[in-house]
Amino acid sequence: MKNKWISFMIAAILGAGMLTACGSGKEAPGGDAIGQETQGVRTESPSGAAEDSVIVAMGPNSEPEAGFDPAYGWGAGEHVHEPLIQSTLTVTNPDLSIGYDLATGMEVSEDGMTWTVTIRDDVKFTDGEPLTASDVAFTYNTVKAVSSVNDFTMLKEAKAVDDTTVEFHMAQAYSIWPYTMAIVGIVPEHAYGPDYGEHPIGSGRYLMKQWDKGQQIILEANPDYYGEEIKMKRVTVVFMEEDAAFAAAKAGQVDLAYTAAAYSDQAVDGYELLSFETVDNRGFNLPAIPAGTDEAGNAVGNDFTSDVEVRRAINIGLDRQEMLEHVVNSYGTPAYSVCDKMPWYNSVAEVTYDPEKAKAILEEAGWIEGADGIREKNGVQAAFRLLYPANDSLRQALAADTQNQLAKLGIEVTIEGVGWDTAYDRAQAEPLMWGWGAHSPMELYNIYHTLENGLAGFSPYSNETVDRYMDEALAAGDLEDSYELWQKAQWDGSTGVTQEGDIPWIWLVNIDHLYWSRENLQVAEQKLHPHGHGWSIVNNVDQWSWK
């Protein structure tokens, strides 16, 4: 019954005005006309008629509510991508070093307060107008003024020096500015307005041919693109839930479909399961100060997790490999920090699962097991409530696994699904299962650096030395030199946020991103995906091909 319902929904969703991605009027071997602009998704073999087109199924959360405007989140957050509709100044290379897109060179002043970037002189927007440094300055001044997704407080203003030179005057030194330049698409000053997100004009590899909200977006190759020749001329992205995406793959209606580990033991005729490594991690915070209230009377801190020995015991008392096997069918890697595998990662964060040592740490810290099996110290129970987003089955499963494993250590965990409307506030006193991961060291800063109230933003924690290292990293004159300072913030030999330090967060797993792919679709090599099982897969879709 369920499969019939899914098939019905696919027909209803995808048969309502959706175009095939294969163009029109080509003939298949044998003379049958296929690929007419029919209502519905792909119904033919991709060989021949669709050799330069592809249909990709993404989750509904991947569709940008505010449209394809960088000022309102397109290119960041869940929509992280390389240049598609717009071009960016820089890109991240496969090793996550910085490369150039529009930029041809960049310099930073000795005090780190001015970045000078030169750009190409041969780039046009898809309406035929040239892209100049004025467009770059306009874009950055606009996103600084209106962006609600990215933080641009470090930028004072952008100025065009001439047609190919732009200066970024900073409000504060910011060594990792090149990573920000990799996610800000350049918009045309002459054609930018309130409806830009619905009718974007860019200079990237693709132009937006059609957007049927809630259903699909169709991208066509930019004939005037300045970069490498585009192999995949037409890209259709359809938005659907996991069940529908799986059913669409089984019906042969899409060429590549995102999927979850829960489907990984299935088989789909004509498709293979692709798995890509990520820094899309899951873990939970442990409030590092005793219980109390803030100025508004909200609960802050936790009397159990404020004991650093408790946090250290939990970190080595969790079997991450077991979690991978039982929760994501081994599609992932253990997580020990928010930046595993990144150039600024400190491998000291890695720990070995040792439940006996975890128990010994708790015993030595005075947490003694009672008759009910739950530890206690000075009238405080070894217990906490672990929250998870109510609509996230993966995080729920990780929370349940954490609950079961910590029970063996004498720690009682109660799990609760909550909405995001209360999750952020409650996480100040109760651990919450989070998802993080980005191609920027700012992820460390956002999680561990203190705010004006003297505590970190997402969970109460503070360490002046950790703050200082991160401040020095941002003020460093050289991007690569800053990596060592980010690593010291994690652990410098005497303090930090890893096992022998304060350990205010427990990182569990990096989940692989899984896709059902037609066997004869050649997906180009992927770099490490960030958080968000969405647009990252099509970072290099222009170089995909059919075998």
Side-chain angles (χ1 to χ4, degrees):
M1 183 67 181
K2 182 179 179 182
N3 288 337
K4 288 182 179 180
W5 182 84
I6 291 172
S7 298
F8 172 79
M9 289 302 294
I10 291 174
I13 294 172
L14 302 181
M18 295 188 66
L19 303 177
T20 62
C22 54
S24 61
K26 295 186 179 180
E27 288 191 352
D32 295 329
I34 62 174
Q36 306 288 346
E37 296 285 303
T38 55
Q39 303 292 311
V41 290
R42 191 189 298 284
T43 58
E44 78 288 344
S45 165
S47 60
E51 62 186 8
D52 60 357
S53 72
V54 67
I55 301 175
V56 178
M58 292 185 190
N61 290 338
S62 293
E63 183 176 27
E65 290 184 12
F68 300 86
D69 185 342
Y72 296 97
W74 172 241
E78 297 293 324
H79 312 126
V80 172
H81 61 85
E82 297 293 346
L84 283 173
I85 297 172
Q86 296 91 3
S87 303
T88 56
L89 293 175
T90 62
V91 293
T92 50
N93 295 319
D95 64 356
L96 299 180
S97 62
I98 292 295
Y100 290 153
D101 180 25
L102 285 178
T104 58
M106 61 181 173
E107 295 180 353
V108 60
S109 61
E110 188 172 340
D111 63 2
M113 297 298 287
T114 303
W115 288 82
T116 303
V117 180
T118 54
I119 65 171
R120 302 175 64 118
D121 61 3
D122 59 345
V123 179
K124 293 182 178 181
F125 290 106
T126 52
D127 63 359
E129 293 295 318
L131 185 156
T132 71
S134 291
D135 296 296
V136 176
F138 171 80
T139 297
Y140 277 83
N141 290 328
T142 298
V143 297
K144 173 179 172 55
V146 306
S147 180
S148 60
V149 176
N150 285 332
D151 176 18
F152 287 95
T153 55
M154 78 295 291
L155 176 65
K156 182 179 179 181
E157 64 176 336
K159 288 185 176 180
V161 177
D162 53 40
D163 282 352
T164 58
T165 309
V166 62
E167 288 181 349
F168 296 102
H169 298 278
M170 313 304 288
Q172 63 188 64
Y174 198 70
S175 65
I176 59 175
W177 182 244
Y179 286 103
T180 298
M181 292 192 290
I183 62 171
V184 179
I186 305 304
V187 302
E189 183 175 9
H190 67 275
Y192 186 82
D195 64 344
Y196 176 84
E198 295 188 10
H199 307 285
I201 294 173
S203 58
R205 292 165 289 169
Y206 292 93
L207 54 88
M208 193 177 81
K209 179 70 173 178
Q210 182 175 328
W211 180 19
D212 302 310
K213 292 184 179 180
Q215 297 180 353
Q216 69 171 357
I217 175 178
I218 299 175
L219 304 172
E220 289 190 349
N222 178 0
D224 298 319
Y225 182 58
Y226 50 88
E228 191 174 355
E229 180 183 358
I230 298 171
K231 296 178 181 178
M232 200 61 74
K233 304 297 186 185
R234 187 172 170 109
V235 179
T236 300
V237 175
V238 293
F239 304 106
M240 53 180 63
E241 300 288 352
E242 283 179 2
D243 282 358
F246 180 64
K250 292 192 71 172
Q253 295 172 317
V254 295
D255 302 316
L256 185 111
Y258 84 112
T259 194
Y263 294 95
S264 62
D265 58 353
Q266 302 292 311
V268 180
D269 290 342
Y271 288 74
E272 59 182 328
L273 185 65
L274 302 183
S275 174
F276 299 110
E277 283 198 12
T278 77
V279 66
D280 191 352
N281 49 53
R282 300 292 181 272
F284 56 93
N285 64 302
L286 290 176
I289 64 172
T293 56
D294 62 16
E295 294 179 354
N298 299 313
V300 176
N302 185 293
D303 287 335
F304 175 52
T305 64
S306 62
D307 186 337
V308 68
E309 298 300 339
V310 165
R311 303 196 296 272
R312 289 170 180 165
I314 290 174
N315 195 40
I316 64 170
L318 288 170
D319 187 346
R320 293 162 172 82
Q321 195 60 47
E322 185 269 350
M323 287 186 173
L324 286 170
E325 293 171 3
H326 287 83
V327 178
V328 293
N329 291 347
S330 297
Y331 285 104
T333 56
Y336 302 103
S337 83
V338 73
C339 56
D340 293 358
K341 314 168 195 172
M342 311 297 273
W344 45 90
Y345 170 57
N346 190 334
S347 60
V348 172
E350 295 178 25
V351 294
T352 300
Y353 170 55
D354 193 338
E356 295 308 313
K357 184 176 180 181
K359 292 177 183 178
I361 290 174
L362 292 169
E363 292 282 344
E364 292 171 11
W367 294 94
I368 307 304
E369 190 170 309
D372 59 358
I374 308 302
R375 296 179 184 275
E376 185 178 310
K377 177 181 178 180
N378 298 331
V380 176
Q381 269 206 321
F384 62 87
R385 186 177 299 273
L386 178 56
L387 311 175
Y388 63 88
N391 62 349
D392 193 318
S393 59
L394 173 61
R395 296 192 210 186
Q396 179 182 11
L398 287 171
D401 202 314
T402 299
Q403 177 187 46
N404 293 336
Q405 291 199 39
L406 292 186
K408 300 174 183 178
L409 302 182
I411 298 173
E412 183 179 50
V413 177
T414 303
I415 65 174
E416 179 186 350
V418 296
W420 283 110
D421 56 335
T422 62
Y424 286 102
D425 290 337
R426 290 184 62 181
Q428 295 297 312
E430 300 169 297
L432 170 67
M433 192 67 71
W434 297 83
W436 294 89
H439 292 166
S440 168
M442 275 305 288
E443 203 82 334
L444 278 165
Y445 188 99
N446 291 335
I447 291 174
Y448 295 109
H449 198 284
T450 58
L451 302 177
E452 292 180 358
N453 65 355
L455 295 173
F458 295 98
S459 184
Y461 165 72
S462 66
N463 183 317
E464 290 183 0
T465 302
V466 170
D467 281 356
R468 176 169 54 81
Y469 281 130
M470 291 192 283
D471 291 338
E472 290 175 357
L474 290 178
D478 182 82
L479 175 61
E480 293 189 2
D481 286 348
S482 74
Y483 293 164
E484 182 179 356
L485 290 163
W486 292 111
Q487 290 166 354
K488 284 185 175 181
Q490 295 163 70
W491 179 249
D492 68 355
S494 60
T495 192
V497 298
T498 52
Q499 175 65 17
E500 298 305 317
D502 299 325
I503 199 69
W505 287 70
I506 305 297
W507 303 102
L508 302 174
V509 297
N510 298 295
I511 58 170
D512 288 352
H513 288 171
L514 305 179
Y515 297 87
W516 292 109
S517 173
R518 287 193 192 270
E519 292 176 344
N520 58 337
L521 177 61
Q522 184 67 51
V523 175
E525 181 181 0
Q526 299 287 300
K527 63 187 175 187
L528 202 66
H529 285 196
H531 178 59
H533 196 168
W535 289 91
S536 293
I537 186 65
V538 294
N539 274 345
N540 54 15
V541 66
D542 58 306
Q543 296 305 307
W544 295 8
S545 61
W546 292 101
K547 299 176 186 176

